[in-house]
Amino acid sequence: MKKLLNTLYVTSPNKYLALDGENVVVLESNEEVGRIPLHNIQGIVTFGYIGASPALMGACASRDISLCFLSSSGRFLARIVGSETGNVVLRKTQYRISDDEKMCTVIAKNMIIGKIFNSRWVIERAIRDHALRLDVEKLKRKSAFLKDAILKVKLCTDTQQLRGIEGEASSIYFSVFDDLVLQQKEDFYYKNRNKRPPLDNLNALLSFSYTLLANECASALQTVGLDPYVGFLHKDRPGRMSLALDLMEELRSVFADRFVLSLVNKKIVSPNGFSVKENGAVIMNDETRKIVLSNWQAKKKEVITHPFLQEKVEWGIVPHVQALLLARYIRGDIDQYPPFLWK
């Protein structure tokens, strides 16, 4: 199993990354402000546009260290990857499946079952933990709808039909998302999902967390030798990590959404850490971004029991476990892809 190492997050846009021996060096105005040995990290995520040296890019590629560039607002820009890993037969099989609507539907159905199941249990967990503060009957109705949606997914015959059910289930889930915000409701409210750009504090946190999760899933897929850009539910589009988006569907609610809710409900973040740009976009300041990333790293180190393997793993390993299970299914080692079903 992959060892969970640290990810280096460079949050300020005026930092340049360089290589010095076996260390990544962070520079500001040609002055060193930090360094860390490459063997201590599994990935680098940098926010801003100044960039990194070709020597560091090459060192990261040769050591299978993910180097991801994001804009200052957290929008994905690019990833540096090395030579393809894994069996070429695995990737060729993946490409054949992506062109087969029936096979795509078989895999995508399990992923969406995982997504809806987990979304339902986020609601059920909220009912269990905060029954006195919530409209339980309302939440129970939404939970029942999601339970029925899982049955509909099992009867799907194509991905277009599957997307329709998934979209409706997602709408039902997010219709009560604001109810799950128990603190700071005046500043962290949910009216609708908006992105590119996010228009309120909560959507800014969600978009940022989804970007981090997508990057984790892409790295996991590359680790097992799959192509993160060729998906089964999300179809091919230049520059889009379609399979990474497929894989993260079942992890959105239990990993990213619950993480965001905990930041708000525990008052780890405050409205003072957000600002509105002229175009209405809401962005986090550097200090808030650091707080979010620090807690994201801590979240990744929490230990859970994987529902399929029945083994204790860290949350940060879950995308790698799911990528490995997907690769095993594509190779024909197991009969079906087992989604991550959390309770």
Side-chain angles (χ1 to χ4, degrees), residues 260-320:
V260 167
L261 289 170
S262 70
L263 291 178
V264 174
N265 290 335
K266 294 179 180 179
K267 298 185 178 181
I268 296 172
V269 295
S270 75
N272 297 330
F274 298 79
S275 60
V276 182
K277 299 176 70 175
E278 292 182 357
N279 65 349
V282 175
I283 60 172
M284 289 179 278
N285 61 26
D286 282 351
E287 187 59 33
T288 298
R289 191 181 292 121
K290 290 175 183 176
I291 292 171
V292 173
L293 292 171
S294 175
N295 281 272
W296 180 265
Q297 286 292 88
K299 170 74 174 178
K300 286 169 60 178
K301 292 187 170 87
E302 291 178 7
V303 176
I304 62 168
T305 299
H306 192 279
F308 180 75
L309 299 180
Q310 289 299 305
E311 295 180 5
K312 291 189 178 300
V313 298
E314 294 169 311
W315 260 116
I317 295 296
V318 171
H320 295 272

Side-chain angles (χ1 to χ4, degrees), residues 71-222:
S71 70
S72 57
S73 62
R75 183 172 59 85
F76 174 82
L77 297 175
R79 296 180 75 246
I80 302 298
V81 297
S83 58
E84 290 286 356
T85 58
N87 193 328
V88 66
V89 177
L90 175 66
R91 292 192 298 278
K92 290 178 70 175
T93 305
Q94 175 192 356
Y95 300 148
R96 284 195 293 268
I97 291 175
S98 72
D99 289 329
D100 186 325
E101 176 67 18
K102 183 177 180 180
M103 288 297 297
C104 284
T105 304
V106 169
I107 298 175
K109 280 169 63 173
N110 281 9
M111 290 175 167
I112 296 305
I113 286 173
K115 176 179 183 175
I116 299 175
F117 181 96
N118 292 333
S119 298
R120 177 175 178 244
W121 279 102
V122 168
I123 296 174
E124 289 289 336
R125 179 69 69 92
I127 293 172
R128 188 196 73 180
D129 294 344
H130 307 288
L132 297 178
R133 304 180 62 181
L134 298 170
D135 184 343
V136 173
E137 290 303 315
K138 174 185 175 183
L139 294 180
K140 282 290 186 182
R141 289 195 301 271
K142 304 299 183 179
S143 176
F145 181 94
L146 295 179
K147 183 178 180 180
D148 291 341
I150 293 175
L151 299 178
K152 294 179 182 178
V153 169
K154 292 179 179 179
L155 300 176
C156 278
T157 56
D158 59 65
T159 53
Q160 184 174 357
Q161 183 184 13
L162 181 60
R163 291 188 194 97
I165 297 172
E166 182 272 332
E168 189 177 13
S170 181
S171 176
I172 291 296
Y173 165 70
F174 276 113
S175 72
V176 293
F177 197 74
D178 189 63
D179 297 55
L180 307 183
V181 180
L182 304 176
Q183 301 286 343
Q184 308 185 88
K185 287 189 76 75
E186 289 186 2
D187 299 296
F188 294 93
Y189 51 83
Y190 185 89
K191 294 182 178 179
N192 54 66
R193 181 76 181 106
N194 50 72
K195 50 189 176 179
R196 303 188 188 96
L199 302 177
D200 57 68
N201 296 347
L202 199 61
N203 271 291
L205 286 170
L206 286 172
S207 292
F208 188 70
S209 299
Y210 291 161
T211 297
L212 295 176
L213 182 56
N215 187 53
E216 302 278 354
C217 290
S219 296
L221 291 164
Q222 286 177 322

